[in-house]
Amino acid sequence: MSTVLPGSLVSTQWLADHLSAPDVKILDCTWLHESSNMDGRTQYRGRHLPGSVHFDIDAVADKTSPLPHMLPPAAEFAKKVGLLGIGDGDKVIVYDRMCGGAAAARVWWMFRTFGYHDVAMLDGGYGKWVKEKLPSDMSPVRPEPKTFTASLNPALVRSLDQMLANVASGTEQVIDARGPAKFAGSQDDVFPVKKKGHIPGAINLPWGDLIVEESGELVQPDAIKARLASAGVDLAKPIVVTCASGTIACVVMLALYLIGKTDVALYDGSWAEWGLKDETPIAAAA
């Protein structure tokens, strides 16, 4: 798939060829839900791509919010990214260990939401990299702090109030990237909520439908378009993506970006917020 920066995907071959480039900065964004009894930092310490540093979506987050890994203020994002050794002008490559790269896709969205577009995700992530016997490392990386500039683009994020207003107006299509059972309300979600189901009017497009299972890569653009059409998504209308906590939805957003739909927004609170509130309407399977 495309190896063009900025703002899309890079192949394992592209990254292998550019590992030593001084302006290429690699972030290991591995994140695991606490129910897995594992954490991304420990996974990173075991093995990681050479020169990569760990980006923790739970640490680079709004600590005043009780919701999981909500977007932090721009100044805090800039400070923490700078401490990871990333500065203005660097080419940022994100990856993780999950097939399809959900946390990495969220970090891709975070950079773009803070006005930085020279960021791309490693297609197939760590799994494909290792399968191809490309180099990995156990050495800790101690980056030299750099100056990073961040400025929020509110067009790429949606709040609870905006989502409630959209239920009434129907102005924006809402794509829910969770699996069909969670969407239907027949399966518990991964975060503590009061309600099961989905936002009224939402379209279900499970993120896994956009992933090549064998390689963890995103499917080709023609297949992305076919899956969107099959789900009933109108690319001419505005789109917001959502999921359980604003991670896997970013895979759908990246897929949309690759076919030219670059203005998609994320409902950051997602079901972790919507499913907790008393005032939120829900829909579920009959």
Side-chain angles (χ1 to χ4, degrees):
M1 193 172 282
S2 171
T3 60
V4 178
L5 286 172
S8 57
L9 293 174
V10 293
S11 66
T12 49
Q13 186 60 59
W14 185 95
L15 187 53
D17 291 343
H18 292 81
L19 267 181
S20 59
D23 62 341
V24 170
K25 305 296 182 182
I26 307 170
L27 294 177
D28 182 319
C29 307
T30 301
W31 174 85
L32 298 148
H33 189 266
E34 60 183 18
S35 62
S36 69
N37 294 317
M38 296 187 292
D39 71 275
R41 193 169 296 279
T42 301
Q43 296 280 304
Y44 167 80
R45 286 175 182 144
R47 280 277 172 190
H48 51 261
L49 266 64
S52 65
V53 293
H54 187 247
F55 186 110
D56 184 351
I57 61 172
D58 285 334
V60 188
D62 181 0
K63 293 301 187 180
T64 68
S65 173
L67 298 169
H69 40 252
M70 293 288 282
L71 198 68
E76 184 178 345
F77 183 82
K79 179 182 178 182
K80 290 187 174 178
V81 166
L83 289 172
L84 294 176
I86 296 170
D88 297 335
D90 285 333
K91 298 184 190 305
V92 181
I93 308 299
V94 296
Y95 78 90
D96 68 30
R97 283 165 171 76
M98 179 178 275
C99 182
R106 179 176 173 85
V107 178
W108 171 84
W109 166 78
M110 291 173 76
F111 272 92
R112 290 181 57 245
T113 301
F114 285 120
Y116 200 79
H117 294 272
D118 212 349
V119 55
M121 189 172 82
L122 177 62
D123 202 11
Y126 186 78
K128 187 171 186 287
W129 183 269
V130 171
K131 192 179 291 185
E132 293 173 356
K133 297 183 168 52
L134 291 164
S136 61
D137 207 339
M138 295 178 69
S139 305
V141 177
R142 295 180 177 86
E144 185 176 330
K146 295 175 76 172
T147 300
F148 184 85
T149 305
S151 178
L152 179 67
N153 176 6
L156 295 181
V157 60
R158 293 289 180 272
S159 67
L160 175 65
D161 286 346
Q162 288 171 311
M163 296 301 289
L164 283 167
N166 190 62
V167 170
S169 70
T171 303
E172 298 181 316
Q173 294 169 105
V174 177
I175 299 177
D176 190 324
R178 295 175 301 158
K182 290 186 176 69
F183 182 83
S186 59
Q187 183 181 27
D188 288 338
D189 224 304
V190 293
F191 294 97
V193 291
K194 297 176 183 176
K195 307 170 182 177
K196 293 188 286 187
H198 58 269
I199 297 171
I203 297 166
N204 191 207
L205 178 60
W207 74 297
D209 290 357
L210 299 172
I211 304 299
V212 179
E213 188 175 348
E214 297 78 20
S215 66
E217 295 170 289
L218 280 167
V219 299
Q220 292 293 318
D222 285 351
I224 293 171
K225 291 176 183 176
R227 284 158 172 75
L228 290 163
S230 178
V233 176
D234 181 356
L235 292 174
K237 288 184 64 178
I239 295 173
V240 179
V241 291
T242 184
C243 57
S245 69
T247 55
I248 59 175
C250 294
V251 176
V252 177
M253 180 190 287
L254 178 54
L256 285 158
Y257 189 99
L258 289 168
I259 61 168
K261 188 73 173 173
T262 61
D263 56 352
V264 176
L266 172 71
Y267 170 33
D268 197 15
S270 284
W271 201 258
E273 179 177 48
W274 194 272
L276 273 178
K277 298 293 183 178
D278 292 329
E279 71 271 28
T280 51
I282 64 161

